[in-house]
Amino acid sequence: RGTPFHTRHARGEFKIPEQDLAADLYDMTQDMMGEAGYPAYEISNHAIEGQESRHNLIYWRYDDYAGIGPGAHGRLTQDGQKFATRGHRAPDIWLDKVDQEGHGMHPFEPVAPLAKYQEAMMMGMRLREGLPLSRLVDAYGAPIDDILSKDKIATLVKEGVLEDHPDMLKTTPQGFKCLNAVLAYLA
């Protein structure tokens, strides 16, 4: 028998706000944080200019990072190839592997060019600074015209969800509210 707290907060009781309310709450958050001197530097993160999380920027800029510990994931580049890394999830197995092998990692898995492109796009479009097209070219290994439709970009600029930049994808404040749709359209 649960306490009133457990009854009111039973699993499944939480409801995501309707789209219009969620958008209003997002706009209010952006305004309040900006007025307090904490502008958004990423779709859901705010900081005083110059105090942005360097840790998180590594993910969003698709740089390498090491995942250390049970269940930790990483992305590491070796000899020009990006690898997905992950530690064993179960702490006891991870610790046994550390004792036996000196680490608790699964074998590294190469990240295919399309997956690198998709990861770089998904992460980079979250940033207020935008996503340099060169990062997508580096990730996929092909000229930008082979991997991104100029017509789709023009449509998104016309719709007001992307800014018009010749060498970068930069989401507008309106675009952040529908980023998943923008990403799906560009895919």
Side-chain angles (χ1 to χ4, degrees), residues 19 22-24 26-27 43 171-181:
Q19 268 188 318
D24 290 345
Y26 180 83
D27 288 340
I43 192 169
T171 310
T172 66
Q174 187 63 28
F176 277 118
K177 289 189 264 185
C178 59
L179 185 58
N180 288 342

Side-chain angles (χ1 to χ4, degrees), residues 48-183:
I48 295 169
E49 191 169 328
Q51 298 297 310
E52 298 86 356
S53 170
R54 289 178 293 182
H55 172 89
N56 289 345
L57 287 171
I58 288 170
Y59 301 135
W60 297 317
R61 291 177 178 156
Y62 204 53
D63 291 332
D64 285 359
Y65 58 95
I68 301 171
H73 289 253
R75 292 291 185 271
L76 298 174
T77 303
Q78 295 178 337
D79 298 323
Q81 170 67 53
K82 185 153 312 236
F83 289 90
T85 68
R86 64 187 173 97
H88 280 274
R89 253 188 135 148
D92 55 334
I93 294 173
W94 182 85
L95 193 54
D96 287 343
K97 299 225 11 116
V98 169
D99 285 340
Q100 295 167 9
E101 300 173 25
H103 65 84
M105 303 299 291
H106 286 283
F108 290 10
E109 299 173 12
V111 182
L114 180 59
K116 287 192 301 186
Y117 166 79
Q118 291 169 333
E119 289 177 354
M121 172 84 80
M122 180 181 67
M123 302 305 270
M125 294 285 292
R126 297 177 61 88
L127 289 170
R128 193 70 71 193
E129 69 190 30
L131 170 62
L133 296 179
S134 62
R135 193 173 301 149
L136 296 176
V137 169
D138 290 345
Y140 195 69
I144 199 67
D145 292 337
D146 292 352
I147 55 178
L148 211 77
S149 165
K150 287 183 182 180
D151 291 340
K152 286 185 175 186
I153 292 172
T155 297
L156 293 172
V157 168
K158 183 179 174 189
E159 291 292 323
V161 296
L162 281 185
E163 293 182 14
D164 189 11
H165 289 279
D167 58 353
M168 119 172 339
L169 295 174
K170 190 169 182 180
T171 310
T172 66
Q174 187 63 28
F176 277 118
K177 289 189 264 185
C178 59
L179 185 58
N180 288 342
V182 169
L183 290 168

